[in-house]
Amino acid sequence: MQLHLNKRVQAAEQEAITENRKFEVSVVEQEGRTLVVLFGGYCASLGDSILVLRNLSALRCIMVRTLLINLGSDAKGGRAQLSDLLEAGLRSIEGEALDVMQLSGGAARVSTAGRLAGRIDGITNAVERSLIDRLSINPPDRVVIDGSNLGRLARIVKRSRPTLPIITFYHNVEARFFFDSLRAAPSLQSTGVLVANTLAEYWATYHSDRRVMLNLRDSRLLSRLYRRAGTDLLPMALRDQYDPAAARAASPFDGRYALFVGGAFYANVEGIAWYARNVAARAPFPTVLIGRGLEAHRERLERWGGIHVIGAVEDLAPWYAHARIVVAPIFSGSGMKTKTAEAFMHGKAIAGTTEAFVGYRGGSYQKQMTCNTPEAFLKALHVADRASSAFDPSLRMHYEQRHSEAAMRTGLSRILSRTVSGLATA
């Protein structure tokens, strides 16, 4: 029987090589059974994700069907980008074996009581009934939920199919994120949002077999809040938008500049306001602010001098290409900061607070300047002013190795191989 299994694996590998397709195999021993999970290139007629199960009496080959539940959005922020990349990564691994249930976001009308019961971000009675029907009529072998804010659906899945494995991807720890938001702008509505998201996250944490975190800090915080830590780490990743030609084109700004990129949510505004008061006017060159909604804060931020608010732009590539350095004065938040991975993608040195670098590790950290005081930021800006080149290929390589689409796909393959068909492996 083992010889027959080896022949099947060898045949799959040969087919993958012949078709010039990536081939990965993960072997797990559990309770006397051998699970061999093949991703890519095998039994194309059955799908791209195949489970070969050997026990004492039989060998069988079945497709591993995955249901992804995510939130549809036209937004272009870091969270939306990461969700798109997660779905694309799963699609490249699973192929036709992936089914997607996409919620419509905040457009649904739900009562206050319903929201406080976890019906947020597009979850309605109709959505819940649709999910139960899917689980009954054509049950998947595992469910991936994109966001702990959808924890009510994790609860429904477990109640309907107790043995069905659930993988939840945490963009951050929602309880921490919305607590900080409440602290920044206290209101009855903010309190309700915090309560609803905390309850949803509790259900997600309690009912998920694998809890995928962006970083170790979030995993530890999850453990303190809900007594269950994350099971896997999958760092921030971005689809590659680097354009080498942008550096040869005309600069979008007259003269040298530092660059800040981020939308006008509380942590960004809080951080860049501190930077405007304490750093910008004394810097060797101005700081340009790019991000949706920042125009509303122009008067407040530009009053100190050394700040130019641009707001939303269609293409970030030229702004990154001609910047001397990226700044990230962020003092609160959860998850990982998109702007940090984005700077690596464009080969740019980044001066940021400790918070800006949470979850980022690896080589080339001599170019990462941790700055928690005005003096430290000023020193980093003067170093960038004297640098012979504003592009660092080692930082670009760091992005490719750890925060690219390919890096995310490799991490996803590893996590998927641990949760298959009701058997959540260690």
Side-chain angles (χ1 to χ4, degrees):
M1 187 65 69
Q2 183 63 50
L3 178 61
H4 185 44
L5 176 65
N6 290 340
K7 286 183 177 179
R8 297 292 290 275
V9 173
Q10 290 170 6
E13 185 173 15
Q14 184 58 51
E15 182 175 334
I17 293 172
T18 301
E19 297 182 4
N20 194 28
R21 298 177 65 186
K22 186 175 181 181
F23 176 85
E24 298 177 21
V25 59
S26 177
V27 181
V28 181
E29 293 286 340
Q30 181 175 347
E31 299 178 358
R33 293 172 292 183
T34 301
L35 297 178
V36 181
V37 185
L38 309 176
F39 295 107
Y42 180 56
C43 295
S45 61
L46 294 179
D48 284 337
S49 185
I50 302 297
L51 170 71
V52 178
L53 172 63
R54 180 181 67 85
N55 55 31
L56 295 177
S57 59
L59 175 70
R60 59 193 178 94
C61 180
I62 62 172
M63 186 192 312
V64 178
R65 297 180 304 277
T66 300
L67 173 63
L68 169 66
I69 304 174
N70 63 13
L71 189 60
S73 174
D74 294 328
K76 297 180 181 180
R79 181 167 184 145
Q81 290 181 55
L82 191 55
S83 289
D84 289 345
L85 204 59
L86 178 65
E87 181 176 343
L90 287 169
R91 181 73 66 188
S92 69
I93 295 167
E94 303 277 88
E96 295 180 0
L98 179 68
D99 184 23
V100 180
M101 179 178 181
Q102 191 167 83
L103 309 188
S104 60
R109 298 181 62 181
V110 179
S111 67
T112 301
R115 291 181 181 279
L116 292 175
R119 288 193 178 97
I120 55 177
D121 296 321
I123 300 176
T124 62
N125 284 325
V127 167
E128 293 172 8
R129 288 194 298 271
S130 175
L131 175 59
I132 292 171
D133 288 344
R134 281 177 184 246
L135 297 175
S136 301
I137 297 171
N138 188 26
D141 296 291
R142 60 188 165 212
V143 174
V144 177
I145 299 178
D146 181 16
S148 56
N149 54 315
L150 304 180
R152 183 177 176 88
L153 298 184
R155 182 170 176 250
I156 289 173
V157 170
K158 275 301 182 192
R159 285 185 168 184
S160 301
R161 296 273 174 172
T163 63
L164 188 61
I166 299 174
I167 305 170
T168 294
F169 182 83
Y170 291 68
H171 288 260
N172 49 54
V173 177
E174 301 288 2
R176 169 63 184 273
F177 180 87
F178 286 107
F179 175 79
D180 287 343
S181 180
L182 172 64
R183 186 180 59 182
S187 70
L188 187 60
Q189 181 180 0
S190 297
T191 302
V193 171
L194 171 62
V195 171
N197 278 273
T198 300
L199 177 61
E201 189 164 67
Y202 166 76
W203 282 333
T205 304
Y206 183 78
H207 293 293
S208 297
D209 298 276
R210 303 209 77 86
R211 295 168 292 279
V212 184
M213 318 299 295
L214 287 172
N215 59 66
L216 188 58
R217 182 187 69 174
D218 283 4
S219 177
R220 289 169 175 166
L221 179 57
L222 199 74
S223 179
R224 289 200 298 272
L225 290 174
Y226 308 113
R227 298 294 184 265
R228 295 192 180 189
T231 58
D232 304 90
L233 296 180
L234 189 65
M236 168 65 68
L238 292 173
R239 183 171 281 112
D240 197 355
Q241 299 174 45
Y242 170 62
D243 180 9
R248 298 189 293 271
S251 174
F253 189 79
D254 186 18
R256 295 187 170 195
Y257 61 92
L259 179 66
F260 173 88
V261 177
F265 87 106
Y266 73 91
N268 284 341
V269 174
E270 170 193 71
I272 201 62
W274 174 90
Y275 178 92
R277 287 194 308 270
N278 297 288
V279 180
R282 295 186 285 158
F285 38 67
T287 299
V288 171
L289 311 187
I290 303 288
R292 191 180 303 276
L294 289 180
E295 301 92 331
H297 301 273
R298 176 177 282 113
E299 183 178 352
R300 173 190 177 191
L301 296 173
E302 291 187 348
R303 61 180 292 203
W304 308 99
I307 292 288
H308 291 266
V309 176
I310 304 299
V313 299
E314 285 297 319
D315 186 8
L316 283 171
W319 291 96
Y320 271 110
H322 293 277
R324 297 300 297 179
I325 189 172
V326 174
V327 295
I330 306 301
F331 295 95
S332 61
S334 184
M336 291 174 68
K337 306 302 173 282
T338 305
K339 57 181 63 65
T340 306
E342 213 165 49
F344 292 156
M345 179 174 68
H346 290 278
K348 293 294 173 177
I350 176 169
T353 54
T354 299
E355 178 65 34
F357 293 118
V358 169
Y360 290 93
R361 61 185 180 85
S364 302
Y365 269 71
Q366 70 276 12
K367 297 295 182 182
Q368 289 185 18
M369 290 166 273
T370 303
C371 306
N372 294 309
T373 65
E375 291 70 25
F377 270 102
L378 288 168
K379 180 180 178 180
L381 291 167
H382 280 286
V383 169
D385 192 32
R386 295 191 301 267
S388 59
S389 173
F391 177 80
D392 188 334
S394 68
L395 292 176
R396 168 70 187 171
M397 183 180 297
H398 183 74
Y399 156 78
E400 291 173 343
Q401 292 174 345
R402 295 195 57 81
H403 304 292
S404 63
E405 190 170 1
M408 170 176 261
R409 189 163 52 245
T410 298
L412 278 175
S413 295
R414 183 186 68 250
I415 293 166
L416 290 173
S417 70
R418 295 170 177 169
T419 309
V420 189
S421 211
L423 297 171
T425 64

